[in-house]
Amino acid sequence: MKTKIIMVLMTAFILTGAFAGGRNEPASSSSSSYTIEVGGSTSVTPLMEMFAEEYAKVKPNIKVNINGTGSGDGITNTGVTYQIGMSSRDLTPAEQGRGLKAEIIAIDGIAVIVNSGNPVANLTVEQIRGIYTGEITNWSQVGGGSSPIAVVSREAGSGTRGAFEEIIGFSGRLVAGANESTSTGAIKAGIAQNPNAIGYISLGSLDNTIKALSVGGVSASSANVVNGTYKVARPFIVLTGNNVHAETSAFIQWMLGSAGQAIVARSWIPVK
């Protein structure tokens, strides 16, 4: 009899433990693996890559795939291909009508860049506009050597191009024959190899392979964007559609929190 009682108690104990363990086995949203697909602006991409690298230390179970495909693609495919779209320009009224939610995660300056060997150090907004509309065609017209200017721009649909054209004031009037590049990296590489080229990139993407011009006597720096003296600046935006996954929302909130904004402050302007 005692043996039967012991066996019953042991069986009950095992079953109780199994059910207790069963309650703990399902992984919570913080421990289960999940992949966040991100795509869009190539200007926002370097910042997003920094976010992803640091976030992996906080949540190693969350993978962030990043595709630098341009703002137009990021906006169009938010909620379709991407859980998060990236844009470096404001949405048009038609795009706003799609019901996307936009969050500004950083402010970025746009640097006007030339080859490191170019003697020109400063241009006015009017001079930049003249170059990009074809009214100014030779560096000698703006204090440089006697060489034709090779105009480099981003492709149609680029957030950087849209913002740059709007700020400088030549939307839809890009000079015929301008070299239209599809990424920040391509522009930097082309200008580093061409002593007569001029282009524009995100301020956060500057390095010693090219030279940033002052605009209207104001140097291109984060400090000058913050104090409002450098006017060639635009927002970095992340976009979400409907039915946003909890992990996607958590990642965006982390970007806007102290840890994310500290990363922004390395090369861009925090918004929080």
Side-chain angles (χ1 to χ4, degrees):
M1 184 68 177
K2 288 182 179 180
T3 302
K4 289 182 178 180
I5 293 172
I6 292 171
M7 290 297 294
V8 169
L9 290 174
M10 287 180 65
T11 301
F13 177 77
I14 292 169
L15 289 172
T16 301
F19 284 119
R23 285 195 297 271
N24 293 328
E25 280 178 0
S28 66
S29 61
S30 62
S31 61
S32 59
S33 61
Y34 185 72
T35 299
I36 303 172
E37 295 291 341
V38 183
S41 170
T42 61
S43 294
V44 181
T45 294
L47 174 57
M48 190 61 65
E49 289 172 343
M50 293 181 186
F51 282 154
E53 182 179 356
E54 290 301 317
Y55 199 63
K57 299 174 185 176
V58 178
K59 286 194 172 183
N61 54 304
I62 304 302
K63 182 179 180 181
V64 181
N65 284 338
I66 304 167
N67 304 276
T69 54
S71 293
D73 177 69
I75 295 167
T76 300
N77 286 304
T78 295
V80 182
T81 307
Y82 313 125
Q83 280 86 15
I84 297 175
M86 302 180 290
S87 176
S88 53
R89 64 168 173 82
D90 291 319
L91 274 63
T92 66
E95 291 166 343
Q96 291 172 355
R98 292 184 53 216
L100 301 176
K101 182 180 179 182
E103 291 276 5
I104 298 175
I105 56 170
I107 303 296
D108 178 50
I110 300 176
V112 181
I113 60 171
V114 295
N115 186 275
S116 297
N118 193 318
V120 174
N122 176 72
L123 291 174
T124 66
V125 169
E126 292 74 20
Q127 287 173 325
I128 297 169
R129 185 186 307 127
I131 290 171
Y132 273 86
T133 57
E135 296 172 15
I136 297 173
T137 60
N138 196 286
W139 282 111
S140 62
Q141 295 174 263
V142 290
S146 183
S147 300
I149 300 173
V151 177
V152 180
S153 178
R154 284 296 302 272
E155 80 286 4
S158 159
T160 308
R161 173 170 168 171
F164 186 72
E165 289 188 354
E166 182 177 344
I167 294 166
I168 300 301
F170 69 98
S171 297
R173 295 190 289 141
L174 179 65
V175 60
N179 183 345
E180 298 182 55
S181 294
T182 58
S183 71
T184 297
I187 288 182
K188 286 168 62 176
I191 289 178
Q193 296 169 9
N194 187 344
N196 298 318
I198 185 171
Y200 53 88
I201 61 171
S202 164
L203 190 61
S205 297
L206 284 175
D207 58 33
N208 60 10
T209 64
I210 37 82
K211 182 172 78 173
L213 299 179
S214 294
V215 177
V218 180
S219 62
S221 69
S222 294
N224 287 338
V225 173
V226 171
N227 65 34
T229 56
Y230 188 80
K231 304 293 186 181
V232 192
R234 45 66 188 277
F236 276 180
I237 300 170
V238 292
L239 305 160
T240 51
N242 298 318
N243 303 317
V244 181
H245 192 280
E247 292 293 2
T248 300
S249 295
F251 181 41
I252 293 174
Q253 290 307 307
W254 179 87
M255 295 180 206
L256 294 167
S258 58
Q261 291 297 294
I263 294 170
V264 172
R266 296 177 189 175
S267 299
W268 298 273
I269 314 304
V271 294
K272 300 285 186 178

